[in-house]
Amino acid sequence: PVPLRYGAQYTGMRTDEAMQQWRSHRFGQFIHWGLYAIPGGVWNGKTYNYAAEFLKSSARIPTATWDSLMYQFNPREFDARAWAKMAKQMGARYMTITTKHHEGFCLWPTKFTDFNISNTPFRRDILKELVDAYNAEGIDVNFYYSVLDWHHPDWRYDIKSPEDSVAFRRFLDFAGNQLKELATNYPTVKAFWFDGTWDSSIKKNGWWTLEAEQMLKSVRPGMIVNSRLRADDFGKRHFDSNNQLMGDYESGYERRLPNPVKDLQVTKWDWEACMTVPENQWGYHRDWTVSHVKSPLELLEMLVHATSMGGNFLLNFGPDGNGGFRNEERHIAQFIGKWMEKNGPVIWDCGYAGWEKQDWGYFTRKNGSAHVNMIVFNKPVSGLLKVKVKGDVKILSAKAGGKAYRVEEIAKNEYFIHFTDRKMTEPRVIVLETAKASEAADKYQDART
Ligand SMILES: C[C@@H]1N[C@@H](c2nc3ccccc3[nH]2)[C@H](O)[C@@H]1O
């Protein structure tokens, strides 16, 4: 292996309580909220189809003009407890909020820049209200922090001169101060979700990314940090030059999920996929007709898909400039919440079952349990759900809501579950009870070829 100073600091999955808690949550609510929520993708009467949180660049708005949106930020409808109740009802176990996005506007009264909530008509500490309200609902809160900062004069995309080095050093000190401030002033925050770390300026300062992570973990032992923060000695990101995952979980799945057949490597570490409801809008956009809007069912399947591969699913909401959610978002929360009310136990505390993906849907398994959950999305014409078990296992029974389905052994380690349900109106959960096969005689003869 290549000797590294700023590479992975440990290998394997963390087994401490804080990480087990993060892992068991499985389902999180992402919230993107900032000045971009005021124009919502529309500027001077023109609608820009690009991501609404990028309107400043897509509409080529001068920084001074954009930053003056601060004097309009006054979300009258903002009610942190109502947001937290909606998330609780949806079945989310954690929430990740943008403390500062690329625009550089800070949702908390930071000491390190005036470009923050205390200098808006609203004045109140949004982060504190959110942390308190979500924690009161038993939901953990994590902080998203964009290192990329369009507002700060010392930000550099690359280091091309001694002046760049001096300025960027000041910038890194500023970012480090803000991170320490966040970790200190909001003591119940469990994780940091870093973004905006792909530019050369950061890749040339891998040392800072490790220092930032170590500082957060010294201020808050147990703190969790995503792989996206880190760059190693050679500017490699997420996985270091020895192909070791940096940070505590892989955060490379943005608006995409790992393939359940080809990407099984992710089952070896912690990871999280974050997802937009429209094709690509994180911040509030006034016009959702500009792209495909994912249905509640599509998003529910992604949650099940992520859980089935031992990962977390972070579903994004983009409140508008007044602090209200779109009807589509409310409906999604209500739909998923209804399903989670009945079936949360096959998501929370569950992960990769270790069996081969089948066409009808996904397997999940609670750690060490003899029960394997089948979440059926696609009932086959035959009604026969194929299950290939791994290792010394046999299936004893298959039950859904108290009703037993016939388990037919069709070959060594292979079964059909006779799924007699007629019309499927929602994803169905069938729980398989398994036992050691070695206790039963083996009546199959391997073919000789
Ligand atoms: C988690 C997501 N990452 C941000 C982002 N910044 C980008 C810069 C270039 C290309 C794609 C990007 N996505 C999005 O605005 C959102 O916060």
Side-chain angles (χ1 to χ4, degrees):
V2 174
L4 296 170
R5 285 177 296 172
Y6 315 126
Q9 300 296 297
Y10 68 87
T11 57
M13 294 164 79
R14 275 176 49 175
T15 55
D16 59 290
E17 180 54 36
M19 197 73 210
Q20 288 181 36
Q21 185 85 353
W22 181 93
R23 182 181 300 137
S24 71
H25 288 341
R26 288 298 177 233
F27 186 24
Q29 178 191 39
F30 213 166
I31 296 181
H32 275 71
W33 205 27
L35 300 181
Y36 43 77
I38 297 171
V42 179
W43 197 260
N44 289 338
K46 185 176 183 325
T47 298
Y48 292 80
N49 296 351
Y50 201 60
E53 70 280 6
F54 277 82
L55 183 64
K56 179 177 186 284
S57 48
S58 40
R60 299 191 203 305
I61 301 165
T63 297
T65 308
W66 183 266
D67 292 359
S68 64
L69 284 169
M70 176 166 85
Y71 303 112
Q72 295 175 46
F73 194 73
N74 192 9
R76 288 182 182 74
E77 288 164 33
F78 175 57
D79 177 350
R81 285 176 307 176
W83 287 19
K85 278 190 177 34
M86 185 181 82
K88 182 74 177 180
Q89 184 276 328
M90 179 169 76
R93 288 279 172 96
Y94 66 101
M95 184 274 278
T96 301
I97 174 73
T98 48
T99 61
K100 182 187 88 171
H101 201 260
H102 307 336
E103 64 181 4
F105 175 68
C106 303
L107 288 188
W108 80 102
T110 176
K111 290 205 309 285
F112 302 100
T113 172
D114 292 338
F115 194 39
N116 75 66
I117 192 70
S118 62
N119 298 314
T120 68
F122 190 73
R123 305 185 66 76
R124 288 158 35 200
D125 182 346
I126 283 175
L127 286 198
K128 175 148 181 45
E129 293 185 22
L130 285 172
V131 169
D132 292 348
Y134 276 76
N135 286 177
E137 289 288 342
I139 299 175
D140 283 343
V141 173
N142 302 336
F143 280 166
Y144 164 110
Y145 182 88
S146 172
V147 182
L148 167 58
D149 187 321
W150 297 331
H151 170 85
H152 199 289
D154 290 332
W155 165 261
R156 293 292 184 279
Y157 286 97
D158 197 357
I159 310 298
K160 289 206 170 76
S161 68
E163 292 72 31
D164 283 344
S165 300
V166 170
F168 199 61
R169 180 63 211 247
R170 278 197 304 267
F171 179 81
L172 292 175
D173 291 345
F174 156 77
N177 287 331
Q178 286 207 311
L179 291 167
K180 187 164 194 165
E181 184 180 49
L182 286 168
T184 307
N185 296 349
Y186 305 90
T188 63
V189 168
K190 297 288 185 298
F192 273 76
W193 205 106
F194 284 92
D195 200 12
T197 50
W198 41 75
D199 289 300
S200 302
S201 52
I202 301 288
K203 290 199 277 191
K204 289 174 178 173
N205 286 279
W207 65 271
W208 179 83
T209 68
L210 175 57
E211 252 186 43
E213 174 170 335
Q214 290 172 330
M215 177 276 294
L216 290 172
K217 293 182 172 181
S218 68
V219 170
R220 287 281 161 247
M223 184 65 79
I224 294 163
V225 174
N226 67 334
S227 61
R228 194 176 294 203
L229 163 63
R230 301 279 298 284
D232 78 358
D233 311 50
F234 300 95
K236 273 273 285 155
R237 297 182 59 242
H238 295 281
F239 292 86
D240 70 17
S241 302
N242 295 316
N243 214 19
Q244 291 299 322
L245 180 66
M246 295 184 277
D248 300 309
Y249 67 92
E250 187 193 354
S251 58
Y253 291 98
E254 179 170 320
R255 298 189 302 128
R256 67 190 176 100
L257 288 164
N259 180 293
V261 175
K262 289 182 276 192
D263 295 324
L264 286 176
Q265 72 282 357
V266 301
T267 62
K268 292 201 295 281
W269 50 75
D270 284 305
W271 61 276
E272 177 194 65
C274 58
M275 192 55 66
T276 51
V277 176
E279 188 272 332
N280 185 11
Q281 297 292 338
W282 297 93
Y284 171 73
H285 196 293
R286 291 174 190 279
D287 180 0
W288 271 20
T289 63
V290 296
S291 82
H292 170 65
V293 175
K294 299 178 191 76
S295 70
L297 201 50
E298 260 182 282
L299 295 162
L300 173 59
E301 179 164 355
M302 291 180 188
L303 167 61
V304 173
H305 178 153
T307 304
S308 78
M309 296 186 76
N312 286 9
F313 185 64
L314 187 62
L315 176 57
N316 185 69
F317 288 71
D320 64 27
N322 258 325
F325 290 108
R326 300 179 64 102
N327 288 334
E328 298 93 332
E329 291 172 323
R330 295 188 167 289
H331 177 57
I332 284 162
Q334 184 264 335
F335 181 95
I336 293 179
K338 201 153 94 15
W339 191 85
M340 288 294 280
E341 202 175 340
K342 213 165 57 177
N343 303 297
V346 305
I347 299 293
W348 300 316
D349 311 311
C350 291
Y352 178 52
W355 294 355
E356 200 178 294
K357 174 81 173 58
Q358 300 296 332
D359 294 340
W360 44 260
Y362 306 85
F363 293 112
T364 72
R365 183 205 305 257
K366 187 169 179 179
N367 272 356
S369 165
H371 290 96
V372 172
N373 308 304
M374 298 169 63
I375 299 97
V376 184
F377 283 85
N378 317 305
K379 175 180 167 170
V381 172
S382 66
L384 303 175
L385 307 180
K386 175 166 283 188
V387 176
K388 288 185 180 174
V389 300
K390 275 258 177 63
D392 176 24
V393 168
K394 68 177 176 185
I395 296 177
L396 300 180
S397 70
K399 288 193 180 114
K403 176 179 167 189
Y405 291 91
R406 182 182 160 213
V407 177
E408 180 194 357
E409 198 172 3
I410 58 173
K412 185 171 173 50
N413 287 346
E414 277 193 48
Y415 297 83
F416 272 147
I417 309 297
H418 289 242
F419 186 50
T420 50
D421 276 27
R422 265 168 295 289
K423 183 145 175 33
M424 271 184 65
T425 56
E426 63 165 22
R428 299 282 279 135
V429 170
I430 297 172
V431 178
L432 302 178
E433 192 186 351
T434 70
K436 284 190 174 312
S438 50
E439 280 140 31
D442 177 356
K443 61 186 179 191
Y444 295 105
Q445 187 66 40
D446 289 345
R448 297 179 74 91
T449 55

